[in-house]
Amino acid sequence: MPKKLYPDAASALDGLLRDGLLIACGGFGLCGIPERLLTAVRESGVKDLTFASNNAGIDNEGIGMLLRTRQVKKMIASYVGENKEFERQYLSGELEVEFSPQGTLAERMRAGGAGIPGFYTRTGVGTLVAEGKEVKTFTNRDGEPQEYILEQGIFADLALVKAWKADETGNVVFRKTARNFNVPAATCGKVCVVEVEEIVPAGSLDPDAIHLPGVYVQRMIVGSPYDKKIEFRTVREKEAV
């Protein structure tokens, strides 16, 4: 079995990065984002990238730091709030954005990972999401005709994900909500690179607890320790004494 563990993010991405890549990226806001790998992408200088991710993090964090350096050409995303630079580039026409409903985006990644080129969904019918897409009528479970739109599976050149634990063979466990988009993102990439907090011996993970089998993982790094970042801070005003 080939060795999957690399000493750092730069070496794990060596030979994988080039201009114009489509990258599937796990994470939701600042939860479960592959920050070490994204930093290495920034430092590599590659450009004209397309990212498929729930959102672009926040300013200077996550994919947001790649927006600052103008390395991202297009975002395929669901939620784009909390990022002023994203907003500025989109409104000024500097950034191409393909909006995809959250569940649809997750399914597009999952479909790509399963080798499915497209699927029909009710989500987005009659809205801007349906523009330019094939519309077909099917009979629903109640025997009534309903319109569905065709969505394409995402086949990414590279997948970047963040996990909690992995064994030496690449079997991966995510921690609670940090699981989010990481599993479908991992499966839809031709090559998947995972950064984890801890590597454990092969055989020490409960097989029933593994979220991502090692067959999907080609390269890994240990990224810890991490600083807990806060996406949006809300504080209560100090009460008068």
Side-chain angles (χ1 to χ4, degrees):
M1 180 175 292
K3 184 178 179 181
K4 296 184 178 182
L5 184 60
Y6 286 70
D8 53 47
S11 61
L13 293 174
D14 184 40
L16 301 179
L17 297 177
R18 66 178 189 278
D19 294 348
L21 283 177
L22 169 55
I23 300 176
C25 186
F28 192 111
L30 296 182
C31 179
I33 61 171
E35 54 189 272
R36 305 286 185 256
L37 294 170
L38 289 172
T39 298
V41 172
R42 182 192 62 187
E43 293 176 351
S44 75
V46 292
K47 58 184 185 301
D48 295 329
L49 302 173
T50 296
F51 272 90
S53 182
N54 178 67
N55 60 358
I58 62 175
D59 289 314
N60 293 320
E61 297 290 348
I63 300 172
M65 63 183 171
L66 296 169
L67 290 173
R68 286 282 181 187
T69 53
R70 305 294 194 278
Q71 290 171 264
V72 182
K73 178 182 71 174
K74 178 179 178 180
M75 283 293 307
I76 304 172
S78 175
Y79 175 68
V80 296
E82 316 301 342
N83 194 316
K84 294 298 183 182
E85 181 61 16
F86 187 116
E87 177 185 357
R88 190 198 66 75
Q89 290 189 24
Y90 173 56
L91 294 177
S92 65
E94 300 172 36
L95 177 68
E96 184 181 350
V97 179
E98 179 183 333
F99 287 106
S100 185
Q102 205 162 77
T104 300
L105 180 59
E107 180 61 13
R108 289 178 66 188
M109 291 182 179
R110 190 207 67 82
I116 300 170
F119 59 91
Y120 289 93
T121 177
R122 283 276 299 155
T123 305
V125 171
T127 72
L128 292 174
V129 171
E131 286 191 359
K133 297 174 183 176
E134 179 186 334
V135 179
K136 196 166 184 177
T137 300
F138 292 96
T139 301
N140 65 16
R141 68 180 63 187
D142 297 320
E144 302 169 340
Q146 282 191 325
E147 289 186 339
Y148 294 75
I149 59 175
L150 178 64
E151 293 282 1
Q152 294 185 4
I154 292 175
F155 299 96
D157 300 303
L158 177 65
L160 304 178
V161 301
K162 161 77 187 322
W164 179 35
K165 290 183 180 180
D167 67 19
E168 297 158 329
T169 68
N171 293 310
V172 171
V173 177
F174 299 95
R175 178 170 168 76
K176 300 183 179 180
T177 56
R179 188 171 171 181
N180 52 57
F181 276 77
N182 276 298
V183 174
T187 63
C188 75
K190 291 179 182 177
V191 178
C192 175
V193 185
V194 183
E195 68 175 74
V196 300
E197 296 183 33
E198 181 183 358
I199 298 289
V200 299
S204 62
L205 295 176
D206 179 356
D208 284 336
I210 292 170
H211 300 133
L212 180 69
V215 68
Y216 289 105
V217 178
Q218 282 72 48
R219 302 183 182 187
M220 299 185 296
I221 65 164
V222 176
S224 57
Y226 292 92
D227 295 325
K228 178 64 176 177
K229 297 181 175 65
I230 298 175
E231 183 172 350
F232 189 81
R233 186 188 299 272
T234 302
V235 296
R236 183 177 60 191
E237 291 186 6
K238 187 176 181 180
E239 296 179 1
V241 178

